[in-house]
Amino acid sequence: MAMEKTYIMLKPDCMKRGLMGEVISRIEHKGYRIVDAKMMNLDEAILREHYAHIADKPFFPEIVAYMTSGPVFGMIVEGENAVLGMRILMGATKFEEAKAGTIRGDYAFSTGENVIHGSDSVENAEIEIKRFFR
Ligand code: IDP
Ligand code: MG
């Protein structure tokens, strides 16, 4: 195991539903540290970069509309094994597969609008931290 930093982003549905505090509590209670954070309004250009791997999917325009519908809260989260650890805390991408006890399992009722983003690898965490915290 290693000390890692990961990029976590509370998505617009999380903010609108007043779940910020709840989700941040879970991250802190797990023992991770929030070492930087900021509220942002994203535009389509940064979403095309961040979501390049889904940009050709039919649902991509909906994701852009959703992710630009209000502010997001970006965080750098640090801890032992934080990249995989946060993915476990978040739960599966598909909301119907996200287990109870995970953030998505407990709060997401749609796969598109699924509360939280977390980097999926150490390499992508570095890229995403640079993208959003430059
Ligand atoms: P992840 O957020 O769990 O890493 P990715 O596959 O990287 O999942 O997809 C990025 C985001 O795109 C998801 O969090 C979700 O908002 C959206 N998304 C992915 N697959 C679907 C889908 O099949 N339908 C609708 N939205 C999707
Ligand atoms: Mg992903």
Side-chain angles (χ1 to χ4, degrees), residues 11 51 53-54 59 62-63 66 87 90-94 104 111-114 116-118 120:
K11 297 184 178 184
Y51 282 140
H53 61 295
I54 56 161
F59 57 80
E62 277 168 51
I63 297 298
Y66 155 58
R87 294 289 299 192
M90 284 164 50
T93 306
K94 288 192 196 312
R104 287 169 170 172
T111 293
E113 307 198 10
N114 57 3
I116 185 167
H117 165 82
D120 62 6

Side-chain angles (χ1 to χ4, degrees), residues 5 7 9 12 18 25 29 33-34 42-43 62 64 66 72 81 84 87 92 94 96 108 113 118 125 133-134:
K5 284 189 173 76
Y7 178 66
M9 181 159 61
S25 281
H29 289 168
R33 270 184 356 110
I34 296 162
L42 303 182
D43 60 21
E62 277 168 51
V64 172
Y66 155 58
V72 299
N81 214 30
L84 180 60
R87 294 289 299 192
K94 288 192 196 312
E96 69 274 24
E113 307 198 10
F133 281 87
R134 196 168 263 296

Side-chain angles (χ1 to χ4, degrees), residues 35-87:
V35 296
D36 205 349
K38 66 176 169 189
M39 193 134 7
M40 292 174 274
N41 288 293
L42 303 182
D43 60 21
E44 182 165 345
I46 201 164
L47 287 166
R48 283 198 172 275
E49 250 183 57
H50 180 65
Y51 282 140
H53 61 295
I54 56 161
D56 59 350
K57 303 275 192 210
F59 57 80
F60 187 68
E62 277 168 51
I63 297 298
V64 172
Y66 155 58
M67 290 296 294
T68 57
S69 69
V72 299
F73 193 69
M75 294 180 273
I76 301 174
V77 171
E78 184 181 71
E80 283 290 334
N81 214 30
V83 174
L84 180 60
M86 273 304 308
R87 294 289 299 192

